[in-house]
Amino acid sequence: GSAAARVGRPGLTIVIWIWRRYGDRLPGVDIFVCTADPLSEPPSLVISTILSVMAYNYPAEKLSVYLSDDGGSVLTFYAMWEASLFAKHWLPFCKRYNIEPRSPAAYFSESYQDLCTPKEWSFIKDMYDEMTERIDTAVISRKIPEEIRSNHKGFYEWNPEITSKNHQPIVQVLIDGKDQKGVDSEGNVLPTLVYMAREKRPQHHHNFKAGAMNALIRVSSVISNSPVIMNVDCDMYSNNNDTIRDALCFFLDEEMGHKIGFVQYPQNYNNMTKNNLYGNSLHVINEVEMGGMDSLGGPLYVGTGCFHRREILCGKRFTKDYQEDWNGGIKGRIQDTSIGEIEEKAKSLATCTYEHDTQWGDEIGLKYGCPVEDVITGLAIHCRGWESVYSNPTRPAFMGLGPTTLAQTLLQHKRWSEGSFSIFLSKYCPFLFGHGKTNLRHQMGYCIYGLWAPNSLPTLYYVVIPSLALLKGIPLFPKITSPWIAPFIYAFCVKNMYSLYEALSCGDTLKGWWNGQRMWLVKRITSFLFGAIDTVRKLLGLSKMTFVVTPKVSVEDESKRYEEEIMEFGSSTPEYVIIATIALLNLVCLLGGLSQIMTGAWNIHLDAFSPQLILCGMLVITNMPFYEAMFLRNDKGKIPFTVTLASFGFVMLDFLVPIV
């Protein structure tokens, strides 16, 4: 019978059955972790993720962990070297007591002392604290002590001329799982651990994360070449020790397994506030939208927390008689082949020119030319006949860090909306690229996100024009007593009632739902608007594609305000000017409209303006945190006076706009 459930986690009986059946023939798994900037993504954060994925309940000899460092930083390499030493103690500690989570940062932050002796817990914690202190000290000083450099040949890859955008390819095997010396403190085999920084030169475009992933695919092919590849963001640590076993249940299923191209897990964050201040929890997307696509052919690939067959990332098309060779991979070290020779061969696969005049980035590997390379890669896999599976276990498979400031949130959603809209306007538009290859409902599921950016335009209309019309005495909706108002009331009530039902059923609070509604409005008039503008500018050749890493760190004051659920502004940006302008405009229009009605200046009955009054009033209530940030707050996170002043100016200009 079918061994895997379509959604959720395979049953324990199924996992044990597959484990016993395949035994030593379980496939190898290559795990890819990507980082780009040691300042935005601190090395101490990166290695916690690395250590968590090294510690899975899976045969260590079948695990290989690769870090792609697009910053080419010796600081990140140093952190990896430190992690390779700490892993010799951390991994046996994890497996001896079966602890969860296996990210040391997450584990020690919760102080799970009841699972082991206090003495051993303190020993491992002190070792971890000392390691992170050494790493953080090196990051602050931006230099590695000479006595440490002499401990590993890899440090000599760096010299004063190397920069993040101009360096040779670097590949260093820090732990060789096939070497007899690659064992932990108890003599058990350790997973292979590899550091890679692909070559960067100013005259060559590096294709951002997609280029890094493709380099990892090639480099891993000469070191481990496992048939299954898992990739995870550097801030998204493993939270479930059995995730690999669970994912393999789908691939190894006797009835459906041969159809499955990839298994996608949701993004979950462990730093969300109780009431979801910035609407970043993604509860509804994870629980409803992604799960819904599972019945249409599978969810989209979201770029992290995903297991792929290596063959499909290399362009393999689905056929009904397809059978995976799970015995693939490099079994042992080729005789007379040293690790140094393998590193040199791997370096040749990570050069700037390797992909020239090849199908990499098109038919092979992750696709290039889009900020959300993961989405078009997943779409291409679906169009080659493969299905995907969405697995959302009770204990989240991965946990990470979500944005903790408004600026980080808007940056992240600008990148997502811009990338998805650029797909919609390209040859990869799901309706065009997927025509005849996937069903119409699946295409529509992809387009939900592709239309985020243009959705900014009707949203801007509804938050500006009805309010201005109210102030100028121009009714835009049917009277509240007219039967023609029924469709508007129906749409307003049903949309919000259903949205509230979804949010509450997915674990949000009532206030969390309200915050989410506010943030959807804010994202539409800022992130989505700028995403739409930048997409059009790129299509017209007026700008080039960029990729900005979302920072994973915040200063202490910002973190404190975030914990207290106080919105963070603090700087003068175009996005904040738009937010403040819309908030002030609606406040002025509401007060002006009410005064006109109260004084009877228009000689029009109240029911003619009731819909506009309700809409304008709802917007004012929604914008309350912005009024506080402009007029009542004195902390550093308030809206700067320059932004408030500019917003007043734009509001005055709005009054000159004729309403037709």
PDB file of all heavy atoms in Angstrom, residues 2 18 22 42 72 88 175 231 233 257 291 295 313 358-359 373 391 404 412 426 464 516 540 554 591 596 633 641 659:
ATOM      1  N   SER A   2       0.170   2.396  -0.146  1.00  0.00           N
ATOM      2  CA  SER A   2       0.905   3.662  -0.169  1.00  0.00           C
ATOM      3  C   SER A   2       1.509   3.930   1.197  1.00  0.00           C
ATOM      4  O   SER A   2       0.849   3.874   2.212  1.00  0.00           O
ATOM      5  CB  SER A   2      -0.040   4.801  -0.553  1.00  0.00           C
ATOM      6  OG  SER A   2       0.649   6.025  -0.522  1.00  0.00           O
ATOM      7  N   ILE A  18      10.068   1.462   6.486  1.00  0.00           N
ATOM      8  CA  ILE A  18      11.025   1.844   5.447  1.00  0.00           C
ATOM      9  C   ILE A  18      12.449   1.713   5.966  1.00  0.00           C
ATOM     10  O   ILE A  18      13.352   1.255   5.268  1.00  0.00           O
ATOM     11  CB  ILE A  18      10.736   3.270   4.957  1.00  0.00           C
ATOM     12  CG1 ILE A  18       9.451   3.267   4.131  1.00  0.00           C
ATOM     13  CG2 ILE A  18      11.894   3.828   4.143  1.00  0.00           C
ATOM     14  CD1 ILE A  18       9.056   4.615   3.594  1.00  0.00           C
ATOM     15  N   TYR A  22      15.070  -0.835   4.001  1.00  0.00           N
ATOM     16  CA  TYR A  22      16.214  -0.359   3.235  1.00  0.00           C
ATOM     17  C   TYR A  22      17.526  -0.500   4.002  1.00  0.00           C
ATOM     18  O   TYR A  22      18.577  -0.696   3.400  1.00  0.00           O
ATOM     19  CB  TYR A  22      16.003   1.087   2.805  1.00  0.00           C
ATOM     20  CG  TYR A  22      15.034   1.207   1.654  1.00  0.00           C
ATOM     21  CD1 TYR A  22      13.667   1.275   1.870  1.00  0.00           C
ATOM     22  CD2 TYR A  22      15.484   1.216   0.345  1.00  0.00           C
ATOM     23  CE1 TYR A  22      12.764   1.353   0.826  1.00  0.00           C
ATOM     24  CE2 TYR A  22      14.606   1.293  -0.715  1.00  0.00           C
ATOM     25  CZ  TYR A  22      13.245   1.369  -0.473  1.00  0.00           C
ATOM     26  OH  TYR A  22      12.371   1.445  -1.524  1.00  0.00           O
ATOM     27  N   PRO A  42      25.342  36.591  10.909  1.00  0.00           N
ATOM     28  CA  PRO A  42      26.509  36.330  11.766  1.00  0.00           C
ATOM     29  C   PRO A  42      26.969  34.877  11.693  1.00  0.00           C
ATOM     30  O   PRO A  42      26.136  33.952  11.719  1.00  0.00           O
ATOM     31  CB  PRO A  42      25.998  36.676  13.164  1.00  0.00           C
ATOM     32  CG  PRO A  42      24.848  37.608  12.932  1.00  0.00           C
ATOM     33  CD  PRO A  42      24.217  37.171  11.659  1.00  0.00           C
ATOM     34  N   GLY A  72      32.611  34.984   0.723  1.00  0.00           N
ATOM     35  CA  GLY A  72      34.009  34.601   0.643  1.00  0.00           C
ATOM     36  C   GLY A  72      34.802  35.082   1.843  1.00  0.00           C
ATOM     37  O   GLY A  72      35.940  35.525   1.710  1.00  0.00           O
ATOM     38  N   LYS A  88      32.476  17.299  17.301  1.00  0.00           N
ATOM     39  CA  LYS A  88      32.960  16.033  17.849  1.00  0.00           C
ATOM     40  C   LYS A  88      32.411  15.772  19.243  1.00  0.00           C
ATOM     41  O   LYS A  88      32.369  14.627  19.703  1.00  0.00           O
ATOM     42  CB  LYS A  88      34.494  16.039  17.869  1.00  0.00           C
ATOM     43  CG  LYS A  88      35.113  16.115  16.477  1.00  0.00           C
ATOM     44  CD  LYS A  88      36.628  16.098  16.532  1.00  0.00           C
ATOM     45  CE  LYS A  88      37.205  16.151  15.121  1.00  0.00           C
ATOM     46  NZ  LYS A  88      38.697  16.101  15.127  1.00  0.00           N
ATOM     47  N   ILE A 175      35.707  18.127   7.468  1.00  0.00           N
ATOM     48  CA  ILE A 175      35.569  16.772   8.019  1.00  0.00           C
ATOM     49  C   ILE A 175      35.326  15.831   6.849  1.00  0.00           C
ATOM     50  O   ILE A 175      34.400  16.037   6.068  1.00  0.00           O
ATOM     51  CB  ILE A 175      34.393  16.657   9.010  1.00  0.00           C
ATOM     52  CG1 ILE A 175      34.583  17.585  10.209  1.00  0.00           C
ATOM     53  CG2 ILE A 175      34.235  15.215   9.487  1.00  0.00           C
ATOM     54  CD1 ILE A 175      33.405  17.581  11.179  1.00  0.00           C
ATOM     55  N   ASN A 231      18.168  21.575   0.925  1.00  0.00           N
ATOM     56  CA  ASN A 231      18.761  22.907   1.118  1.00  0.00           C
ATOM     57  C   ASN A 231      17.964  23.689   2.152  1.00  0.00           C
ATOM     58  O   ASN A 231      16.746  23.524   2.286  1.00  0.00           O
ATOM     59  CB  ASN A 231      18.860  23.684  -0.196  1.00  0.00           C
ATOM     60  CG  ASN A 231      17.561  24.347  -0.592  1.00  0.00           C
ATOM     61  OD1 ASN A 231      16.645  23.677  -1.079  1.00  0.00           O
ATOM     62  ND2 ASN A 231      17.458  25.648  -0.405  1.00  0.00           N
ATOM     63  N   ASP A 233      18.092  27.639   4.458  1.00  0.00           N
ATOM     64  CA  ASP A 233      18.724  28.939   4.689  1.00  0.00           C
ATOM     65  C   ASP A 233      19.582  28.879   5.943  1.00  0.00           C
ATOM     66  O   ASP A 233      19.332  28.082   6.853  1.00  0.00           O
ATOM     67  CB  ASP A 233      17.667  30.036   4.844  1.00  0.00           C
ATOM     68  CG  ASP A 233      17.020  30.404   3.514  1.00  0.00           C
ATOM     69  OD1 ASP A 233      17.574  30.020   2.463  1.00  0.00           O
ATOM     70  OD2 ASP A 233      15.958  31.058   3.530  1.00  0.00           O
ATOM     71  N   GLY A 257       5.928   7.161  -4.912  1.00  0.00           N
ATOM     72  CA  GLY A 257       7.254   7.734  -4.718  1.00  0.00           C
ATOM     73  C   GLY A 257       7.974   8.109  -5.991  1.00  0.00           C
ATOM     74  O   GLY A 257       8.687   9.120  -6.044  1.00  0.00           O
ATOM     75  N   GLY A 291      -0.889  23.996   1.667  1.00  0.00           N
ATOM     76  CA  GLY A 291      -1.574  22.715   1.777  1.00  0.00           C
ATOM     77  C   GLY A 291      -2.594  22.515   0.678  1.00  0.00           C
ATOM     78  O   GLY A 291      -2.786  21.404   0.181  1.00  0.00           O
ATOM     79  N   SER A 295      -2.899  19.365  -3.369  1.00  0.00           N
ATOM     80  CA  SER A 295      -3.861  18.524  -4.078  1.00  0.00           C
ATOM     81  C   SER A 295      -3.911  18.816  -5.569  1.00  0.00           C
ATOM     82  O   SER A 295      -4.622  18.141  -6.310  1.00  0.00           O
ATOM     83  CB  SER A 295      -5.257  18.717  -3.475  1.00  0.00           C
ATOM     84  OG  SER A 295      -5.699  20.052  -3.684  1.00  0.00           O
ATOM     85  N   LEU A 313      17.122  18.214 -10.309  1.00  0.00           N
ATOM     86  CA  LEU A 313      17.815  19.501 -10.352  1.00  0.00           C
ATOM     87  C   LEU A 313      18.788  19.557 -11.528  1.00  0.00           C
ATOM     88  O   LEU A 313      19.214  20.639 -11.924  1.00  0.00           O
ATOM     89  CB  LEU A 313      18.568  19.736  -9.036  1.00  0.00           C
ATOM     90  CG  LEU A 313      17.696  20.068  -7.822  1.00  0.00           C
ATOM     91  CD1 LEU A 313      18.556  20.219  -6.577  1.00  0.00           C
ATOM     92  CD2 LEU A 313      16.875  21.332  -8.052  1.00  0.00           C
ATOM     93  N   THR A 358      27.005  26.637 -21.494  1.00  0.00           N
ATOM     94  CA  THR A 358      26.399  25.398 -20.997  1.00  0.00           C
ATOM     95  C   THR A 358      24.925  25.645 -20.718  1.00  0.00           C
ATOM     96  O   THR A 358      24.425  26.768 -20.851  1.00  0.00           O
ATOM     97  CB  THR A 358      27.081  24.918 -19.691  1.00  0.00           C
ATOM     98  OG1 THR A 358      26.730  25.821 -18.619  1.00  0.00           O
ATOM     99  CG2 THR A 358      28.603  24.863 -19.845  1.00  0.00           C
ATOM    100  N   GLN A 359      24.224  24.613 -20.300  1.00  0.00           N
ATOM    101  CA  GLN A 359      22.799  24.712 -19.980  1.00  0.00           C
ATOM    102  C   GLN A 359      22.547  25.045 -18.506  1.00  0.00           C
ATOM    103  O   GLN A 359      21.396  25.092 -18.072  1.00  0.00           O
ATOM    104  CB  GLN A 359      22.102  23.388 -20.324  1.00  0.00           C
ATOM    105  CG  GLN A 359      22.030  23.090 -21.809  1.00  0.00           C
ATOM    106  CD  GLN A 359      21.186  24.108 -22.548  1.00  0.00           C
ATOM    107  OE1 GLN A 359      20.064  24.402 -22.158  1.00  0.00           O
ATOM    108  NE2 GLN A 359      21.721  24.659 -23.622  1.00  0.00           N
ATOM    109  N   GLU A 373      14.465  32.737  -7.724  1.00  0.00           N
ATOM    110  CA  GLU A 373      14.876  31.627  -8.573  1.00  0.00           C
ATOM    111  C   GLU A 373      14.235  30.316  -8.147  1.00  0.00           C
ATOM    112  O   GLU A 373      14.014  29.428  -8.976  1.00  0.00           O
ATOM    113  CB  GLU A 373      16.402  31.485  -8.550  1.00  0.00           C
ATOM    114  CG  GLU A 373      17.010  30.967  -7.242  1.00  0.00           C
ATOM    115  CD  GLU A 373      16.900  31.904  -6.060  1.00  0.00           C
ATOM    116  OE1 GLU A 373      17.032  33.122  -6.249  1.00  0.00           O
ATOM    117  OE2 GLU A 373      16.665  31.423  -4.935  1.00  0.00           O
ATOM    118  N   SER A 391       4.813  18.759   3.271  1.00  0.00           N
ATOM    119  CA  SER A 391       4.799  18.049   4.545  1.00  0.00           C
ATOM    120  C   SER A 391       4.854  19.062   5.676  1.00  0.00           C
ATOM    121  O   SER A 391       5.792  19.862   5.765  1.00  0.00           O
ATOM    122  CB  SER A 391       5.998  17.097   4.642  1.00  0.00           C
ATOM    123  OG  SER A 391       5.964  16.356   5.849  1.00  0.00           O
ATOM    124  N   THR A 404      12.367  41.369  12.238  1.00  0.00           N
ATOM    125  CA  THR A 404      11.941  41.927  13.527  1.00  0.00           C
ATOM    126  C   THR A 404      11.773  43.435  13.489  1.00  0.00           C
ATOM    127  O   THR A 404      11.544  44.056  14.526  1.00  0.00           O
ATOM    128  CB  THR A 404      12.957  41.571  14.628  1.00  0.00           C
ATOM    129  OG1 THR A 404      14.250  42.058  14.252  1.00  0.00           O
ATOM    130  CG2 THR A 404      13.030  40.062  14.825  1.00  0.00           C
ATOM    131  N   GLN A 412      11.935  42.343   2.643  1.00  0.00           N
ATOM    132  CA  GLN A 412      11.697  40.951   2.279  1.00  0.00           C
ATOM    133  C   GLN A 412      10.520  40.808   1.326  1.00  0.00           C
ATOM    134  O   GLN A 412      10.595  40.110   0.304  1.00  0.00           O
ATOM    135  CB  GLN A 412      11.457  40.115   3.537  1.00  0.00           C
ATOM    136  CG  GLN A 412      11.303  38.623   3.274  1.00  0.00           C
ATOM    137  CD  GLN A 412      11.072  37.850   4.552  1.00  0.00           C
ATOM    138  OE1 GLN A 412      10.007  37.938   5.161  1.00  0.00           O
ATOM    139  NE2 GLN A 412      12.062  37.093   4.991  1.00  0.00           N
ATOM    140  N   SER A 426       7.096  37.294 -17.556  1.00  0.00           N
ATOM    141  CA  SER A 426       8.155  36.693 -18.367  1.00  0.00           C
ATOM    142  C   SER A 426       7.639  35.473 -19.114  1.00  0.00           C
ATOM    143  O   SER A 426       6.457  35.125 -19.026  1.00  0.00           O
ATOM    144  CB  SER A 426       9.330  36.287 -17.466  1.00  0.00           C
ATOM    145  OG  SER A 426       8.981  35.150 -16.681  1.00  0.00           O
ATOM    146  N   VAL A 464      -7.052  56.164  -1.073  1.00  0.00           N
ATOM    147  CA  VAL A 464      -6.877  57.591  -1.371  1.00  0.00           C
ATOM    148  C   VAL A 464      -8.158  58.227  -1.916  1.00  0.00           C
ATOM    149  O   VAL A 464      -8.691  59.194  -1.342  1.00  0.00           O
ATOM    150  CB  VAL A 464      -5.717  57.806  -2.372  1.00  0.00           C
ATOM    151  CG1 VAL A 464      -5.660  59.273  -2.817  1.00  0.00           C
ATOM    152  CG2 VAL A 464      -4.387  57.392  -1.748  1.00  0.00           C
ATOM    153  N   GLY A 516      -2.160  41.643  11.198  1.00  0.00           N
ATOM    154  CA  GLY A 516      -1.926  41.115   9.859  1.00  0.00           C
ATOM    155  C   GLY A 516      -2.650  41.905   8.789  1.00  0.00           C
ATOM    156  O   GLY A 516      -2.109  42.147   7.699  1.00  0.00           O
ATOM    157  N   LEU A 540      12.055  47.426 -18.992  1.00  0.00           N
ATOM    158  CA  LEU A 540      12.385  48.510 -19.933  1.00  0.00           C
ATOM    159  C   LEU A 540      13.888  48.741 -20.043  1.00  0.00           C
ATOM    160  O   LEU A 540      14.325  49.631 -20.779  1.00  0.00           O
ATOM    161  CB  LEU A 540      11.695  49.805 -19.484  1.00  0.00           C
ATOM    162  CG  LEU A 540      10.155  49.786 -19.484  1.00  0.00           C
ATOM    163  CD1 LEU A 540       9.609  51.103 -18.944  1.00  0.00           C
ATOM    164  CD2 LEU A 540       9.624  49.520 -20.889  1.00  0.00           C
ATOM    165  N   SER A 554      19.430  42.686  14.909  1.00  0.00           N
ATOM    166  CA  SER A 554      18.830  43.969  15.271  1.00  0.00           C
ATOM    167  C   SER A 554      19.563  44.502  16.492  1.00  0.00           C
ATOM    168  O   SER A 554      20.097  43.740  17.299  1.00  0.00           O
ATOM    169  CB  SER A 554      17.337  43.803  15.582  1.00  0.00           C
ATOM    170  OG  SER A 554      16.628  43.310  14.461  1.00  0.00           O
ATOM    171  N   LEU A 591     -12.037  63.703   9.473  1.00  0.00           N
ATOM    172  CA  LEU A 591     -12.442  64.843  10.298  1.00  0.00           C
ATOM    173  C   LEU A 591     -13.146  65.905   9.464  1.00  0.00           C
ATOM    174  O   LEU A 591     -14.174  66.466   9.870  1.00  0.00           O
ATOM    175  CB  LEU A 591     -11.214  65.438  10.997  1.00  0.00           C
ATOM    176  CG  LEU A 591     -10.510  64.525  12.012  1.00  0.00           C
ATOM    177  CD1 LEU A 591      -9.267  65.209  12.564  1.00  0.00           C
ATOM    178  CD2 LEU A 591     -11.456  64.141  13.139  1.00  0.00           C
ATOM    179  N   GLN A 596     -18.263  68.523   7.746  1.00  0.00           N
ATOM    180  CA  GLN A 596     -19.151  68.983   6.671  1.00  0.00           C
ATOM    181  C   GLN A 596     -20.550  68.398   6.834  1.00  0.00           C
ATOM    182  O   GLN A 596     -21.560  69.085   6.629  1.00  0.00           O
ATOM    183  CB  GLN A 596     -18.569  68.565   5.307  1.00  0.00           C
ATOM    184  CG  GLN A 596     -17.247  69.232   4.956  1.00  0.00           C
ATOM    185  CD  GLN A 596     -17.427  70.636   4.403  1.00  0.00           C
ATOM    186  OE1 GLN A 596     -18.467  71.272   4.595  1.00  0.00           O
ATOM    187  NE2 GLN A 596     -16.420  71.137   3.729  1.00  0.00           N
ATOM    188  N   ARG A 633       5.120  59.333  20.388  1.00  0.00           N
ATOM    189  CA  ARG A 633       6.307  58.615  20.853  1.00  0.00           C
ATOM    190  C   ARG A 633       7.550  59.501  20.853  1.00  0.00           C
ATOM    191  O   ARG A 633       7.689  60.393  19.998  1.00  0.00           O
ATOM    192  CB  ARG A 633       6.552  57.372  19.988  1.00  0.00           C
ATOM    193  CG  ARG A 633       5.565  56.251  20.248  1.00  0.00           C
ATOM    194  CD  ARG A 633       5.628  55.154  19.207  1.00  0.00           C
ATOM    195  NE  ARG A 633       6.982  54.644  19.013  1.00  0.00           N
ATOM    196  CZ  ARG A 633       7.303  53.734  18.097  1.00  0.00           C
ATOM    197  NH1 ARG A 633       6.350  53.243  17.315  1.00  0.00           N
ATOM    198  NH2 ARG A 633       8.539  53.325  17.975  1.00  0.00           N
ATOM    199  N   PHE A 641      10.685  63.407  12.261  1.00  0.00           N
ATOM    200  CA  PHE A 641       9.921  64.626  11.971  1.00  0.00           C
ATOM    201  C   PHE A 641       9.980  64.978  10.492  1.00  0.00           C
ATOM    202  O   PHE A 641       9.010  65.496   9.927  1.00  0.00           O
ATOM    203  CB  PHE A 641      10.468  65.790  12.809  1.00  0.00           C
ATOM    204  CG  PHE A 641       9.790  67.098  12.523  1.00  0.00           C
ATOM    205  CD1 PHE A 641       8.485  67.332  12.940  1.00  0.00           C
ATOM    206  CD2 PHE A 641      10.449  68.096  11.802  1.00  0.00           C
ATOM    207  CE1 PHE A 641       7.848  68.534  12.663  1.00  0.00           C
ATOM    208  CE2 PHE A 641       9.818  69.296  11.524  1.00  0.00           C
ATOM    209  CZ  PHE A 641       8.518  69.524  11.958  1.00  0.00           C
ATOM    210  N   ILE A 659     -11.330  65.258  -8.262  1.00  0.00           N
ATOM    211  CA  ILE A 659     -11.966  63.943  -8.226  1.00  0.00           C
ATOM    212  C   ILE A 659     -13.031  63.914  -9.308  1.00  0.00           C
ATOM    213  O   ILE A 659     -14.016  64.645  -9.244  1.00  0.00           O
ATOM    214  CB  ILE A 659     -12.606  63.667  -6.862  1.00  0.00           C
ATOM    215  CG1 ILE A 659     -11.567  63.853  -5.757  1.00  0.00           C
ATOM    216  CG2 ILE A 659     -13.180  62.268  -6.818  1.00  0.00           C
ATOM    217  CD1 ILE A 659     -10.400  62.899  -5.824  1.00  0.00           C
TER     218      ILE A 659
END
